[in-house]
Amino acid sequence: METINPATGEVVESYEEDSASDVGSALERAEDTFAEWREVPIREREQLIEAAGDVLRENEREYAELMTEEMGKPISQALAEVQKCQWLCDHYAKHTSEYLEAETHPSPPGTTVKTVYDPMGPVLAVMPWNFPFWQAMRFAVPYLAAGNVGLLKHASNVPGSALAIEEIFEEAGFPDGAFQTLLVGSEKIDDVLADERVRAATLTGSGPAGRAVASTAGENLKKTVLELGGSDPFVVLDDADIDAAAETGAWARNQNGGQSCIAAKRFIVHEDVYDDFLDRFVEECEALTVGDPMDEDTDIGPQAQSHLMEELHEQVEQSVDAGANVVIGGEPLDRDGPFYPPTILTDIPQGCPADTEELFGPVASVFSVADEDAAIETANDTQFGLGASIWTEDRDRGQCVARRIDAGCTYINQLTKSDPRVPFGGVKSSGYGRELSEAGIKEFVNRKTVWTE
């Protein structure tokens, strides 16, 4: 298993894949550790989560550079990702006891009835490469805090990040086996998930991968949480602050090289402000710097892998062939590495990739609509339902529009983002279940009723 720096084409490191025997030992260790870990008081778990945050702080630069080398994330954004993981740890170190406090219920005189939240056991996580630390940590931290143990199958191009996350929990003082990385290919996941020692699974990734995991889990009656990407609408109404919408929109589309499930992808703009918004949006996108991801001034680095850029460009070409107009960008940059510039498409025909597919890179599809109802109709005209961003100076109007959009989260006058304090997840083909906050930590617990006579 090799990792290749997408910016240079150089091999970063080679790793030995885990054998079937290695995986079996990891599962046995997870089961044994769970029997002890579940009995550790919540306050002690919180203290260990806090210690994991300290390990992240102490090694912040090292982890950021590792991410940048493995998948091309600009170093400033990699540092921000490590810091967000610290915030995640701080949040659950403070709030786990509150989130898992027993809930009492009405009962007959002389009895007490309550719901307690017990851990389920080893939880398998299948995670993507685009946010190598955040995606894995937002799974691990709440589930470990709840008393579960974790098994991580990370993307094959970020094994160094996967092993570093395992080391974070080891250095923080978690027991051996509380969190383990499995260096295996995707073809091994069915066997791991079907193993009786694994009690649940979570996946962030593609629709086909999510359906495969859900199918295997369903056959074995195991709980799953799936986050399967999106084609998020960015709705600009006629009373929006155009400068703010354009500035935020350029970043919402292009941060992390546009490789984000909750990136703004379809810009749906009221016809009265369409021209003004497009002009400002072009200015903001053209001002972004594409370059060496290790340079602090770089906004957009390479795409994570060459084949991913080729797939993205094919989607652009198919859309142009169907009649879409390229305003800026639209061609890979003439330099070493899979660098793709900020690209804006307009006049997008129905049914072309820029209209119906998720474009996982720095390509924005811009649509003009006649009114608010048309904006909502266009926003909902997708198989996805992860996030949405709505721009209007009238907050009451924004909240009304938000309730009519099919998405797991909607942000008014802000880009869509995940936050440890609020639930995160989607609907329709964007998956089901929630991560983060109280809802996230309770996804993989046994809500046990205890009746005392």
Side-chain angles (χ1 to χ4, degrees):
M1 188 178 289
E2 285 187 338
T3 56
I4 298 174
N5 186 328
T8 65
E10 297 174 353
V11 175
V12 177
E13 189 66 75
S14 296
Y15 301 85
E16 190 78 23
E17 281 200 43
D18 288 336
S19 65
S21 176
D22 293 330
V23 172
S25 296
L27 291 172
E28 183 176 354
R29 193 157 48 247
E31 185 177 46
D32 291 344
T33 301
F34 173 64
E36 300 176 4
W37 178 244
R38 67 178 299 165
E39 301 301 328
V40 174
I42 288 179
R43 185 57 195 135
E44 291 184 25
R45 290 186 227 143
E46 288 177 327
Q47 290 170 341
L48 288 169
I49 293 294
E50 184 177 31
D54 292 338
V55 175
L56 284 160
R57 289 183 181 86
E58 292 163 6
N59 300 281
E60 185 176 285
R61 185 77 191 187
E62 174 189 341
Y63 297 147
E65 290 180 354
L66 175 60
M67 279 190 277
T68 298
E69 286 181 343
E70 287 196 317
M71 53 72 61
K73 184 188 302 286
I75 189 64
S76 60
Q77 296 170 42
L79 286 165
E81 182 170 335
V82 179
Q83 291 161 3
K84 189 171 184 178
C85 293
Q86 297 164 17
W87 178 25
L88 175 75
C89 291
D90 294 344
H91 179 80
Y92 281 101
K94 183 177 181 180
H95 294 290
T96 294
S97 296
E98 174 188 348
Y99 286 157
L100 298 181
E101 186 174 359
E103 180 183 357
T104 59
H105 304 284
S107 62
T111 68
T112 60
V113 181
K114 60 184 177 181
T115 297
V116 298
Y117 302 100
D118 291 342
M120 297 179 68
V123 180
L124 171 67
V126 182
M127 291 291 124
W129 48 262
N130 57 334
F131 292 90
F133 271 64
W134 171 249
Q135 300 280 20
M137 291 295 289
R138 82 178 187 195
F139 138 73
V141 169
Y143 299 159
L144 286 171
N148 297 302
V149 298
L151 297 158
L152 171 65
K153 189 283 176 210
H154 219 326
S156 59
N157 61 328
V158 292
S161 295
L163 291 171
I165 293 167
E166 181 179 88
E167 291 171 0
I168 288 168
F169 293 111
E170 290 175 356
E171 290 185 28
F174 283 77
D176 181 45
F179 183 91
Q180 299 175 83
T181 283
L182 305 178
L183 291 184
V184 296
S186 298
E187 71 280 358
K188 304 286 181 62
I189 293 306
D190 272 1
D191 290 341
V192 176
L193 182 52
D195 192 287
E196 63 181 7
R197 290 167 290 192
V198 173
R199 300 301 301 274
T202 181
L203 175 142
T204 298
S206 68
R211 289 180 175 88
V213 165
S215 176
T216 301
E219 290 173 5
N220 292 275
L221 295 179
K222 295 181 180 181
K223 174 74 180 290
T224 53
V225 169
L226 304 179
E227 195 267 273
L228 306 179
S231 187
D232 284 9
F234 189 99
V235 178
V236 183
L237 298 176
D238 53 324
D239 63 344
D241 181 332
I242 298 304
D243 287 339
E247 181 179 357
T248 302
W251 188 242
R253 172 63 281 200
N254 292 290
Q255 66 172 319
N256 203 45
Q259 301 164 122
S260 172
C261 54
I262 53 171
K265 298 187 175 84
R266 295 177 300 127
F267 290 77
I268 300 164
V269 187
H270 193 290
E271 62 184 12
D272 288 353
V273 295
Y274 178 84
D275 290 338
D276 288 343
F277 173 81
L278 184 60
D279 288 345
R280 288 288 294 112
F281 188 47
V282 168
E283 289 175 8
E284 293 290 343
C285 290
E286 288 184 327
L288 297 172
T289 300
V290 181
D292 179 1
M294 282 295 185
D295 188 330
E296 298 281 354
D297 294 327
T298 292
D299 298 308
I300 302 174
Q303 300 296 280
Q305 294 175 303
S306 294
H307 75 90
L308 296 171
M309 186 190 74
E310 291 165 4
E311 292 168 8
L312 175 69
H313 186 51
E314 183 176 351
Q315 289 175 303
V316 171
E317 289 185 312
Q318 290 175 354
S319 299
V320 172
D321 288 345
N325 175 54
V326 178
V327 179
I328 60 169
E331 293 286 345
L333 295 179
D334 185 16
R335 58 182 295 170
D336 292 337
F339 287 85
Y340 208 83
T343 296
I344 297 175
L345 303 178
T346 60
D347 304 321
I348 296 162
Q350 285 189 335
C352 74
D355 176 47
T356 62
E357 298 177 10
E358 179 178 21
L359 303 186
F360 213 65
V363 180
S365 302
V366 185
F367 301 82
S368 176
V369 293
D371 54 32
E372 180 180 300
D373 287 339
I376 294 167
E377 181 180 357
T378 303
N380 290 335
D381 186 20
T382 174
Q383 63 177 309
F384 299 105
L386 188 54
S389 182
I390 302 156
W391 290 78
T392 171
E393 290 287 76
D394 184 337
R395 292 184 177 182
D396 290 337
R397 182 188 189 189
Q399 291 179 29
C400 289
V401 172
R403 295 297 298 271
R404 295 176 63 191
I405 290 181
D406 300 331
C409 48
T410 53
Y411 282 73
I412 300 166
N413 298 327
Q414 180 57 271
L415 56 80
T416 305
K417 55 189 176 181
S418 56
D419 183 311
R421 298 167 296 186
V422 297
F424 177 82
V427 296
K428 300 196 292 188
S429 291
S430 288
Y432 53 75
R434 291 295 179 266
E435 299 174 307
L436 303 174
S437 188
E438 180 176 358
I441 199 172
K442 287 182 175 175
E443 283 286 3
F444 292 131
V445 294
N446 175 17
R447 293 171 168 84
K448 180 187 293 181
T449 298
V450 178
W451 181 299
T452 304
E453 193 72 30

